[in-house]
Amino acid sequence: MYQFTEDCIIGIREIDQQHEKLFELINEILELLHNDILQDKHHQVQNILEELKEYADIHFVSEEAYMAAINDPELEIQKKQHMVFRERINSLDFMGIDEIDAQHELLEELMRYLTRWLYHHILSSDLMIGKMPPLQQWKQDANPCAFTEKYLTGIPLIDGEHETLFEIIAKANDLVRAELLHDKYDEIVGILDQLQQYTKEHFADEEEYMESIGYPGLHAQKMAHQAFVSKLEEIDLEQLDNNQQQYLEELMVFLFGWLSNHILKSDKMIAEAQECI
């Protein structure tokens, strides 16, 4: 059973309710997958799949309308991600598969894709809806990447590594603001590579620490970490090279926005939970 936990709540009531419904549909498929009594499952699966397609469309339209209304800078990226999901789901067809083993295999493939995509999408993209500072505000802030007291969790290892991550993003931001440097591609790629490598090390250390104290939110944290690492790995270097300044500005806003939001919303709960363990 896949739980719609607090980590997946983005704070926008309508979108949260729709996400919860998507989790319910996924759990219906999971229940069907584990139902050994029911042999031929393709009619039931096809019905759930059709409901999933229809509801996903309703949700995507609603989410995109909300993002458009608040001028969210990630809207176009979200539209592309939604389209990829639609295309994948539309390519699945259980009606022509009569063999039980083949039905079961396709059902398992569907579950792997749905759970991976939904967790990844919510934790790397949807959580940032309405939370990224406007680009103009970011440009006007003299030190937008400052590691201030509000980000402290009270866990020395984690706080020290968070501060290093802030410093790496600050270096990237300084490079973005270097007006006299016109070709920044090599330098920014180097910084992004450093950020990606250090992020992986930090997440591994953080997960090891959570495991050592028996933190109940470890699984959700791992999903969020995987989603962010995937986001870093998916950075379009060709687009970065073609339109360096605008792409880099928007990328910095997202990277810092995601990291700061994750610390404030998720990582601070580690120390709080430790007090209760």
Side-chain angles (χ1 to χ4, degrees):
M1 180 72 71
Y2 291 94
Q3 299 292 331
F4 182 70
T5 62
E6 187 175 344
D7 301 81
C8 293
I9 296 175
I10 71 172
I12 302 169
R13 183 176 177 80
E14 181 180 6
I15 295 177
D16 284 332
Q17 289 175 338
Q18 291 171 358
H19 284 162
E20 190 167 11
K21 173 65 176 178
L22 289 171
F23 270 78
E24 290 174 4
L25 291 172
I26 287 176
N27 281 321
E28 285 185 35
I29 297 174
L30 182 63
E31 185 177 342
L32 195 59
L33 180 62
H34 292 160
N35 189 339
D36 294 329
I37 298 175
L38 186 62
Q39 293 298 311
D40 190 347
K41 304 176 181 181
H42 72 275
H43 289 290
Q44 291 82 356
V45 173
Q46 195 67 32
N47 289 338
I48 296 175
L49 192 58
E50 288 303 320
E51 185 178 2
L52 179 64
K53 290 177 185 178
E54 292 176 7
Y55 195 79
D57 274 336
I58 292 171
H59 166 59
F60 291 157
V61 169
S62 175
E63 191 170 81
E64 289 168 13
Y66 181 90
M67 295 179 73
I70 64 171
N71 295 315
D72 195 296
E74 287 279 291
L75 175 57
E76 292 306 314
I77 295 175
Q78 284 265 28
K79 284 182 176 180
K80 291 177 182 177
Q81 292 173 350
H82 294 166
M83 184 57 65
V84 168
F85 180 86
R86 287 187 178 102
E87 290 174 352
R88 179 62 183 273
I89 297 301
N90 287 333
S91 70
L92 297 173
D93 183 10
F94 283 81
M95 294 305 291
I97 300 177
D98 297 323
E99 293 184 5
I100 303 300
D101 289 344
Q103 291 177 16
H104 195 83
E105 184 178 343
L106 188 56
L107 197 54
E108 287 185 329
E109 178 190 341
L110 173 61
M111 280 303 304
R112 286 193 296 270
Y113 176 75
L114 289 176
T115 53
R116 184 173 61 250
W117 190 93
L118 186 56
Y119 272 114
H120 179 282
H121 185 69
I122 292 176
L123 295 171
S124 71
S125 297
D126 289 349
L127 272 175
M128 296 310 301
I129 295 176
K131 295 184 177 67
M132 286 192 291
L135 191 54
Q136 286 304 119
Q137 177 184 327
W138 177 271
K139 289 179 179 179
Q140 292 169 5
D141 193 334
N143 190 11
C145 302
F147 186 74
T148 60
E149 187 176 347
K150 71 176 181 178
Y151 297 114
L152 293 175
T153 65
I155 303 170
L157 170 67
I158 293 176
D159 289 335
E161 292 185 352
H162 283 165
E163 187 168 11
T164 299
L165 285 172
F166 275 52
E167 290 170 355
I168 296 172
I169 295 178
K171 284 197 298 184
N173 185 58
D174 290 342
L175 188 59
V176 170
R177 297 186 182 207
E179 296 180 358
L180 298 180
L181 183 62
H182 297 293
D183 188 356
K184 308 173 182 181
Y185 180 82
D186 291 338
E187 288 84 353
I188 199 68
V189 168
I191 292 174
L192 289 175
D193 182 63
Q194 181 186 4
L195 178 62
Q196 185 178 133
Q197 295 306 314
Y198 192 79
T199 297
K200 291 178 180 178
E201 293 176 15
H202 163 61
F203 287 161
D205 289 343
E206 194 172 76
E207 289 166 15
E208 183 179 356
Y209 179 82
M210 286 187 282
E211 189 169 8
S212 73
I213 64 170
Y215 180 59
L218 175 59
H219 177 70
Q221 279 270 25
K222 283 185 174 181
M223 296 296 292
H225 293 167
Q226 290 169 7
F228 184 66
V229 169
S230 295
K231 193 82 172 181
L232 289 175
E233 292 174 343
E234 292 166 2
I235 290 173
D236 189 339
L237 295 180
E238 183 177 348
Q239 185 178 352
L240 187 158
D241 194 28
N242 292 337
N243 191 5
Q244 290 187 13
Q245 193 62 28
Q246 181 181 351
Y247 188 86
L248 291 175
E249 288 173 355
E250 293 175 355
L251 180 61
M252 289 306 100
V253 172
F254 173 81
L255 292 176
F256 184 79
W258 189 96
L259 182 59
S260 59
N261 183 68
H262 181 70
I263 292 172
L264 296 173
K265 183 179 175 64
S266 299
D267 288 349
K268 282 204 166 225
M269 294 174 62
I270 302 172
E272 295 172 7
Q274 185 176 6
E275 295 174 0
C276 302
I277 294 174

